[in-house]
Amino acid sequence: MSAFLLIMIFVFLIMGISILLMPDLVAKTLPFGVRIPADYADNHLIKKMKAYFRIYVIFLLVIFLVLTIFSGIYEQIVILFSFIGLEYFGYYLVHKRIHFEKIRNRWYENKKEVVVAEIDTQQKKINLFLWTLPSIIFIIISIISLYFIYPLLPNSIPINFSVNGIPDSWIPKTPLNASLLIIIMATITVIFYILNIVILRSRIEIDPTMPEVSSFQANKFKILMIKSLSVMGWFLNITFLLMNFITWNVLSSNNFFMIIIPVIIAVVIVFAVSTYAGAQGSRLKYPSNGNKENEVMRDDDKYWIGGIIYFNRDDTAILVPKRFGIGWTINVGNIFAWVFIILIILLIIVSFIIMILVH
């Protein structure tokens, strides 16, 4: 079994398990991306839709795992994207069914819709630089190592490896060529740092029926995810550091598979933290301060396309909490959100252009 196939199986399992757990990880008032009053969270239709959705996902997972095992690399990539597309299709059907039930039975009738804003931001303090420092240290280690190793490098440097770890493409030895992966490490570190800043400053959604609880959960979730993403950045840079040592002939290319291990560890950490906390910290425990009768969060479904894409020109937030999934999504109605997206894309493009020019 090839290393690439093992990676694909791991990706399928992580994605499949995440989707299976997701209906119970999101807030009860957001089943499949539909905003509902809390007293309808245990509606029989929602329970039935959760069961149908899980059966559908398990069926897809089994079928596509079997197809993946007996397919080539390029076919496996197509299968993966097909799996993602069909998962979303199943989610969308359930989303529309619950939304239709909500409108037909007027679940928001006689409800007082409330929007609560957070003023106290003391819980959101975290030193982003300290959490980014390990990633910077791995970059510095790579730079210092290259300084001493460069004179000993052969005239050609391997730039690509087969799934078995055998080099199959080379580029001439130059300082820039030898530094390609260091440039990628720096790019990843900058992207993660910017992303953490945006997450830290993103707005949270406070449930008016339990404002203290939801504020605590959302802010705690921010800190947990920032730390998790920072740790992921560390492990990604460890992977590229190991790749540097293989490219510079410090480590044997027979050890190529071991560079995948840090990435797997990083994914498992983020997955574990997300599952523990739930979407926007909905699973984090906090002494309840009681519910306020007849008050519900504002019905803002009109700003969500399919419960996935958020479009609101009047909202100044760049990132907003996802409705189905762990983390945040872009407010595509905010011009500054597009500036953020373009900045990230430009950083990635510049890295690829450098690689192509020296290839």
Side-chain angles (χ1 to χ4, degrees):
M1 186 177 290
S2 70
F4 187 82
L5 178 56
L6 288 173
I7 295 172
M8 292 299 292
I9 292 174
F10 173 76
V11 170
F12 266 108
L13 290 176
I14 287 291
M15 288 181 56
I17 294 172
S18 299
I19 295 297
L20 284 172
L21 293 175
M22 198 55 62
D24 292 325
L25 295 181
V26 299
K28 290 184 177 181
T29 55
L30 279 174
F32 295 92
V34 180
R35 176 80 68 192
I36 65 171
D39 48 356
Y40 288 96
D42 295 322
N43 182 274
H44 71 282
L45 173 70
I46 294 175
K47 291 181 178 179
K48 185 168 68 174
M49 289 296 101
K50 285 182 179 180
Y52 287 164
F53 181 72
R54 288 194 176 100
I55 293 171
Y56 175 76
V57 172
I58 291 173
F59 173 77
L60 287 181
L61 186 60
V62 171
I63 295 298
F64 280 87
L65 270 176
V66 172
L67 290 174
T68 298
I69 292 172
F70 295 99
S71 301
I73 292 177
Y74 296 109
E75 290 83 359
Q76 289 169 359
I77 296 174
V78 173
I79 290 171
L80 177 62
F81 280 100
S82 300
F83 176 68
I84 294 172
L86 287 173
E87 273 188 334
Y88 174 72
F89 177 71
Y91 156 82
Y92 181 73
L93 291 179
V94 175
H95 167 83
K96 295 297 291 184
R97 180 67 182 87
I98 295 175
H99 188 266
F100 173 77
E101 188 75 6
K102 164 189 166 180
I103 299 301
R104 185 181 68 173
N105 292 306
R106 301 177 181 179
W107 288 359
Y108 263 84
E109 192 172 55
N110 299 322
K111 298 291 185 182
K112 182 180 178 182
E113 299 183 35
V114 178
V115 177
V116 180
E118 182 187 47
I119 298 176
D120 183 9
T121 59
Q122 293 300 310
Q123 299 181 65
K124 295 191 293 185
K125 289 184 177 180
I126 182 174
N127 193 322
L128 294 181
F129 176 76
L130 286 181
W131 280 90
T132 308
L133 187 58
S135 292
I136 297 173
I137 290 173
F138 291 129
I139 295 172
I140 294 172
I141 291 173
S142 293
I143 293 172
I144 294 174
S145 299
L146 180 59
Y147 177 80
F148 290 102
I149 293 171
Y150 185 79
L152 305 176
L153 292 178
N155 293 329
S156 296
I157 303 172
I159 190 63
N160 193 53
F161 296 83
S162 68
V163 292
N164 297 318
I166 301 173
D168 54 18
S169 181
W170 291 260
I171 53 177
K173 169 188 170 181
T174 67
L176 179 59
N177 287 355
S179 305
L180 282 179
L181 295 180
I182 299 178
I183 295 172
I184 294 176
M185 292 171 72
T187 303
I188 289 174
T189 302
V190 171
I191 289 174
F192 272 66
Y193 187 77
I194 294 173
L195 182 59
N196 281 338
I197 290 175
V198 176
I199 288 174
L200 189 63
R201 296 180 179 178
S202 65
R203 69 167 171 80
I204 64 173
E205 292 185 342
I206 298 178
D207 189 339
T209 66
M210 46 180 190
E212 291 180 13
V213 176
S214 55
S215 175
F216 167 82
Q217 290 175 331
N219 282 305
K220 185 70 174 177
F221 177 75
K222 276 188 180 185
I223 301 302
L224 285 174
M225 290 308 296
I226 287 173
K227 291 178 179 179
S228 299
L229 289 173
S230 298
V231 172
M232 174 177 276
W234 304 352
F235 280 98
L236 287 176
N237 275 1
I238 290 174
T239 290
F240 282 107
L241 177 61
L242 293 174
M243 289 177 65
N244 273 326
F245 287 152
I246 291 175
T247 300
W248 301 334
N249 294 322
V250 175
L251 293 176
S252 169
S253 60
N254 293 330
N255 299 315
F256 193 75
F257 181 69
M258 76 178 183
I259 69 175
I260 301 170
I261 296 176
V263 177
I264 293 175
I265 293 174
V267 172
V268 170
I269 288 174
V270 174
F271 175 77
V273 171
S274 301
T275 303
Y276 161 75
Q280 301 305 309
S282 60
R283 292 167 60 89
L284 297 174
K285 301 299 182 183
Y286 185 82
S288 176
N289 62 335
N291 292 342
K292 298 181 180 179
E293 292 185 4
N294 234 28
E295 285 192 359
V296 295
M297 293 186 71
R298 179 187 59 172
D299 183 3
D300 53 355
D301 283 353
K302 65 181 180 180
Y303 298 117
W304 289 87
I305 302 171
I308 296 290
I309 301 172
Y310 182 69
F311 185 95
N312 185 356
R313 289 194 178 96
D314 297 324
D315 192 341
T316 58
I318 295 177
L319 293 184
V320 295
K322 283 184 178 180
R323 286 202 157 186
F324 192 78
I326 303 294
W328 295 263
T329 188
I330 294 288
N331 174 12
V332 295
N334 186 331
I335 185 63
F336 294 105
W338 286 103
V339 172
F340 172 71
I341 294 172
I342 292 171
L343 177 61
I344 298 298
I345 292 174
L346 285 177
L347 284 171
I348 296 172
I349 290 175
V350 168
S351 297
F352 274 107
I353 289 176
I354 292 174
M355 293 182 66
I356 292 171
L357 290 177
V358 299
H359 195 282

